Amino acid sequence: MVTPPPPPLWSHIAEWNQCIPNLLPCSSRLPASHQVSQQGTCRMARWLPRSTDLTRFCQKLNRVKTLEADMMETSFNRCLSTIDLTLLGIGGMVGSGLYVLTGTVAKEIAGPAVIVSFIIAGFASLLAALCYAEFGARVPKTGSAYMFTYVSVGEIWAFLIGWNVLLEYMIGGAAVARAWSGYLDSIFNHKIKNFTETHVGSWQVPFLAHYPDFLAAAILLVATAFISFGAKVSSWLNHVFSAISMGVILFILIMGFVLAQPKNWSAQEGGFAPYGLSGIMAGTATCFYAFVGFDVIAASSEEARNPQKAVPRAIAFSLGLATGAYILVSMVLTLMVPWHTLDPDSALADAFYRRGYSWAGFLVAAGSICAMNTVLLSNLFSLPRIVYAMAEDGLFFQVFSRVHPRTQVPVIGIVVFGLLMALLALVFDLEALVQFLSIGTLLAYTFVAASIIVLRFQQQKADGPAQPASSQPNPEQREGIAAPEQKEYESFSDKLQLVGSDKSKEHREPGQLKAAFEPYLEFLSDFYPGEVVTVAVVTLMVSAVCLCSILVFGNTHLHLPTWSYSLLLVLFSLGFVLSLLLIWVHEQQHSTQTFQIPLVPLSPALSIVLNIYLMLKLSYMTWLRFAIWLILGLLVYFGYGIWHSKENLREPRPQSVSARYVVFPSSSLEETVQAVQPSSQPAAGLPDTDTTEDKR
C-alpha cells in the first residue's frame, strides 16, 4: 500500500486576516514553523498603512466646508451699514503708520519718492483687497481668510491660516497698545516709565520688556469691555475716534499745503528720488504693510445688513481713502521741510515745530492717539470673530463658539483674547515679534488669492456625482425630459456644419475646457471639471515660489553664475505663464448678483507673486518663529480639530465587509461573507444572515 504524499503547503493556509483585513485567520491549521513565520509577517504588515487609509486621511485634510442653504441666517446681529464697515476699514489701515511710517520711509529709504512707493503699495494691496471683496460678497460669513480658504482649498490649510491670523491679531493689538502708551508717555516727558521703574522695578530678561507696561494693559482691558457690549457700540466708538483722526488729517493737509515749499524737492536738497528705483521698490515693500487692516471688513460680513453690496463697496472706499491719505500726507511732509532733516520718530509734529507752529504738535499727538485707538478696536473686533468661526466649525475649542443672547457677540472669545493681549502688552518685548505680523498677513493674502481661482473654476454643486467633462449629460437628460427629435439634413456637409454650430453654442459648466480650445487640447476633456485647474494652481504657486527665490537669493546667497541665473528665471517664468494659460482655457463662473474681481486668473496670480516675494524678503528668524508656531498649530489640529470637525460628522461611515476563506485538502473552498454595519442603521441591500457559497 502506497502512502499518499502530504498535501501541499498552500492547502494548509486558512485565513490571513491579521495581514489582510478581508481574510479572517485560521492559523491553527498551519504547522508550528509556518505559524511563527506568519506571525512575524503579520506584525510587520500591521504597522504598514494601507493605501486606502492614506487616501482617506488625505481626503480628511483637504475636505472643504459645506455652506448652509441660507447664508444670511446667523446668530449675530446684522446691524452694520456700508459707512460702518468703511470706517472700520479706515480705522484698521490709517493708524500710527500715518504719523510714523511716512517720515521713516521718506528719510531712510525713498526720499520724497515715498509718494510713488505708496502708490505702488496701494495698487498691490488693491489686488488682495479685491479678492477679499469677492469672497466677502459670495460668502457673507465671519472668519475672513480662514473661511475663504475652508470653502475652496481645504480644512488643514484653513486651520493654519486661521491659526496664524490669531497670533497676528494678538501681537498686533499688543504692539499698538504699547506704542499708544509710549506715545502718551513721551508727551509727559516719560514720567509714567520713570515712576514704574522706580516703584515696581525693571529687569533684563530675553523676550521680556524692560519694565511692565500697566498703561498698555489697561487700555486693552478698557477696549475689551467696550467691544463686549456689541457690534453697534464698537462701531459707534470707532466712529468717534475715526472722525477725530480724519479731522486731524484734514488739518495737516490744509496747513501743510499752505506751508509747502517746492524747493524741498529740488536738486539742491537731493532731488525727488535720491535713492533711485531701488529705493522706491524698497519703500514699496515697507509701505505695503501700512494697508494691512482691510480684512476687518471681511471678518465683519456676518454682521452687515447687505453684505453682497456693502462689503465690496466698503473695501473699495476704505482702501481708496487710506491710499489717498498716505500719499497726500507724504507729499505735505516732504514739502514742508527737507526730507533728509526729518525726525523718524515724530516727523509730522517735528515738521510743524520747525515751521513755527509748535501748538500743532498737540493736535498731531491727539490724532495719532485716536488713530491707534481705531487700530486697537479693529484688532479686538476681528480676533474673537475668527476664533468663533473656527470653534463653530469644530476646529477650535467649542467654548469660543458661544454667542451672548443679548449683545449677540462671542463674549467669551472677546474676554479671553483681550486678557491674553493685555498680558502680552504687559510683560513681553514685542519689537522682536512685530515682523511676525507680516508673514501671517502675506500668507493669508496668498491663500485667499489662490482660493479665488479655485472657487471661480469650480462646478456648481449638484445632487449627483461628478462626471468627466467629456460625458456631461444634457440638461434634458438630467431633469428627465424627453430628448428632442432627431434632425434631418439634406447632405452630409450640412450635417457637419450644423453639428459644429451646435457644439459651439453648447453650454459648458465652470471648470470645463472652452469649446474654442477643445480641438487643440482634447486630452484635457477627459478630466473632471476643475481638476486641471486645481493642478495648475498648485503648479503656479510652486513656480512662483521658485521664481521669487531665484530673484531674492540668486545673487546674494546662492551666488549663481549669470547663465544659470538667467536660465532658471526663464524656466520658472515659463512654468508660471503656462500654468496661467492652462487655467485661462477653462470656463469660469460668471455671476451678476455679487461682485467679482476682474481679470481672473491674472489678478490673483499677480497678487500671489507679490505676496510670496515679500515673504521671502523677511529675515530667517521670522521664518524660524513662523515654523515653530505652525508646529504648535499642527499639534492643536491633530489633537483636537480633526476629530471634532463638523465636516467629520457629515462624512458617511464606511461599510466594512469581512470575508473568510478556508482551503481544505480536498480542494474545496468555503466562503462566508458577513456585512458589518453600524448598530444605528441596517445594511442596505444586504441580508441579515451570512451568505455561504460552496465552490467545488
Side-chain angles (χ1 to χ4, degrees):
M1 180 177 181
V2 180
T3 305
L9 178 62
W10 58 266
S11 65
H12 292 286
I13 297 177
E15 304 181 354
W16 287 65
N17 187 46
Q18 295 181 5
C19 297
I20 304 175
N22 291 337
L23 302 181
L24 300 180
C26 187
S27 57
S28 59
R29 304 177 187 269
L30 292 172
S33 59
H34 295 299
Q35 290 184 27
V36 173
S37 61
Q38 177 195 358
Q39 291 173 1
T41 306
C42 292
R43 288 195 200 98
M44 293 176 60
R46 194 180 300 122
W47 291 99
L48 295 177
R50 294 177 298 172
S51 59
T52 54
D53 295 334
L54 290 176
T55 303
R56 192 178 301 115
F57 179 70
C58 292
Q59 289 174 349
K60 283 181 177 292
L61 297 183
N62 291 283
R63 57 195 172 195
V64 296
K65 178 179 174 61
T66 304
L67 294 173
E68 298 83 1
D70 184 10
M71 287 191 289
M72 293 297 291
E73 183 181 353
T74 177
S75 56
F76 287 104
N77 181 20
R78 290 195 178 273
C79 59
L80 300 180
S81 63
T82 303
I83 297 177
D84 297 329
L85 294 175
T86 302
L87 291 177
L88 275 174
I90 293 175
M93 285 183 280
V94 183
S96 58
L98 186 72
Y99 301 89
V100 178
L101 188 65
T102 50
T104 303
V105 176
K107 181 175 182 179
E108 300 176 355
I109 302 178
V114 64
I115 300 168
V116 182
S117 297
F118 273 116
I119 293 174
I120 300 174
F123 174 76
S125 300
L126 180 65
L127 296 176
L130 290 176
C131 296
Y132 275 78
E134 177 171 340
F135 260 121
R138 294 185 62 178
V139 188
K141 291 292 183 181
T142 190
S144 189
Y146 156 78
M147 180 62 65
F148 304 155
T149 308
Y150 202 177
V151 299
S152 55
V153 178
E155 183 173 284
I156 188 171
W157 310 108
F159 177 85
L160 293 178
I161 292 296
W163 182 253
N164 286 308
V165 170
L166 293 188
L167 186 65
E168 171 197 336
Y169 277 121
M170 286 178 62
I171 295 178
V176 171
R178 286 190 71 92
W180 187 95
S181 67
Y183 203 93
L184 188 65
D185 191 25
S186 64
I187 297 177
F188 297 101
N189 297 321
H190 302 287
K191 291 182 179 179
I192 301 174
K193 174 184 176 182
N194 296 332
F195 178 84
T196 305
E197 290 181 344
T198 303
H199 293 82
V200 179
S202 60
W203 51 75
Q204 300 291 332
V205 180
F207 299 107
L208 295 183
H210 298 308
Y211 66 96
D213 196 337
F214 293 104
L215 184 59
I219 186 61
L220 278 168
L221 294 178
V222 172
T224 300
F226 277 106
I227 294 291
S228 302
F229 291 144
K232 204 63 181 174
V233 176
S234 306
S235 177
W236 175 83
L237 198 61
N238 182 73
H239 286 188
V240 173
F241 289 127
S242 297
I244 298 174
S245 178
M246 288 189 292
V248 172
I249 293 172
L250 190 61
F251 165 79
I252 291 172
L253 295 179
I254 294 174
M255 286 293 296
F257 280 114
V258 170
L259 300 174
Q261 295 178 339
K263 67 176 184 179
N264 291 325
W265 286 4
S266 64
Q268 290 81 4
E269 299 293 345
F272 179 76
Y275 296 99
L277 182 62
S278 61
I280 293 175
M281 298 310 297
T284 300
T286 305
C287 295
F288 180 80
Y289 305 118
F291 298 99
V292 172
F294 60 79
D295 53 340
V296 65
I297 300 175
S300 310
S301 59
E302 196 164 343
E303 292 161 280
R305 294 173 188 165
N306 187 6
Q308 285 78 13
K309 294 182 179 180
V311 171
R313 290 174 181 174
I315 289 179
F317 293 158
S318 60
L319 188 63
L321 291 174
T323 305
Y326 277 110
I327 292 172
L328 293 176
V329 169
S330 301
M331 185 181 299
V332 163
L333 182 62
T334 53
L335 284 172
M336 284 176 62
V337 295
W339 61 270
H340 52 81
T341 62
L342 291 172
D343 182 7
D345 296 328
S346 56
L348 283 170
D350 182 68
F352 280 108
Y353 176 78
R354 291 169 55 189
R355 295 301 302 271
Y357 295 89
S358 57
W359 54 269
F362 291 99
L363 286 177
V364 172
S368 177
I369 290 176
C370 289
M372 284 188 277
N373 283 338
T374 58
V375 176
L376 206 61
L377 290 173
S378 174
N379 280 272
L380 278 169
F381 190 87
S382 302
L383 176 58
R385 283 153 178 79
I386 295 174
V387 175
Y388 164 83
M390 297 176 68
E392 181 70 13
D393 293 332
L395 301 185
F396 208 59
F397 305 110
Q398 287 291 324
V399 66
F400 295 113
S401 64
R402 299 176 185 174
V403 176
H404 195 276
R406 189 160 59 88
T407 60
Q408 293 182 292
V409 293
V411 175
I412 296 178
I414 293 173
V415 172
V416 170
F417 285 93
L419 291 173
L420 288 176
M421 272 191 198
L423 180 63
L424 282 175
L426 180 66
V427 297
F428 282 93
D429 178 20
L430 298 171
E431 292 182 3
L433 298 178
V434 166
Q435 258 205 337
F436 192 89
L437 304 178
S438 307
I439 194 168
T441 303
L442 292 171
L443 186 68
Y445 287 177
T446 303
F447 269 87
V448 170
S451 301
I452 280 290
I453 301 176
V454 173
L455 189 66
R456 185 71 74 87
F457 289 87
Q458 272 185 355
Q459 201 174 19
Q460 297 289 348
K461 291 186 178 180
D463 296 334
Q467 297 182 7
S470 59
S471 61
Q472 287 293 321
N474 295 325
E476 292 84 4
Q477 293 175 348
R478 287 197 298 262
E479 298 175 7
I481 302 175
E485 297 180 359
Q486 294 183 355
K487 298 180 181 179
E488 295 183 359
Y489 306 95
E490 296 183 2
S491 65
F492 186 71
S493 60
D494 293 341
K495 179 178 180 180
L496 286 179
Q497 184 178 0
L498 288 172
V499 168
S501 62
D502 290 344
K503 191 171 183 180
S504 63
K505 296 179 181 179
E506 178 187 358
H507 173 71
R508 291 180 175 261
E509 296 292 335
Q512 291 183 339
L513 190 66
K514 292 180 179 178
F517 297 98
E518 191 167 5
Y520 313 101
L521 302 172
E522 189 175 358
F523 65 96
L524 295 179
S525 301
D526 297 331
F527 294 92
Y528 289 92
E531 188 176 5
V532 177
V533 173
T534 303
V535 175
V537 169
V538 175
T539 308
L540 183 143
M541 296 186 69
V542 172
S543 302
V545 170
C546 296
L547 178 63
C548 294
S549 300
I550 297 299
L551 289 173
V552 175
F553 305 115
N555 291 326
T556 56
H557 295 76
L558 300 178
H559 303 290
L560 295 175
T562 305
W563 68 270
S564 61
Y565 179 82
S566 304
L567 179 62
L568 290 175
L569 282 182
V570 171
L571 288 178
F572 293 132
S573 300
L574 191 62
F576 182 84
V577 173
L578 289 178
S579 302
L580 204 60
L581 291 176
L582 197 59
I583 297 171
W584 178 71
V585 299
H586 289 81
E587 295 285 351
Q588 58 178 290
Q589 297 178 12
H590 296 285
S591 173
T592 58
Q593 299 179 352
T594 59
F595 171 79
Q596 285 192 321
I597 177 175
L599 300 177
V600 174
L602 180 61
S603 300
L606 292 178
S607 180
I608 289 172
V609 172
L610 177 66
N611 297 329
I612 292 175
Y613 178 82
L614 293 176
M615 277 195 289
L616 294 177
K617 295 285 286 185
L618 298 174
S619 65
Y620 73 94
M621 285 301 298
T622 302
W623 280 96
L624 180 61
R625 298 186 188 105
F626 175 70
I628 295 173
W629 182 249
L630 278 186
I631 292 173
L632 293 176
L634 290 174
L635 292 176
V636 174
Y637 175 73
F638 289 111
Y640 182 87
I642 194 173
W643 308 107
H644 296 82
S645 171
K646 286 190 175 180
E647 297 303 320
N648 190 40
L649 302 178
R650 289 191 177 101
E651 290 182 353
R653 300 300 176 188
Q655 298 180 357
S656 58
V657 178
S658 59
R660 179 176 301 166
Y661 296 90
V662 180
V663 182
F664 297 98
S666 59
S667 299
S668 64
L669 175 66
E670 178 187 69
E671 178 187 26
T672 304
V673 182
Q674 180 181 6
V676 181
Q677 297 288 341
S679 58
S680 59
Q681 63 181 30
L686 292 176
D688 294 337
T689 58
D690 294 350
T691 302
T692 304
E693 178 185 354
D694 293 336
K695 297 180 180 179
R696 299 292 182 182

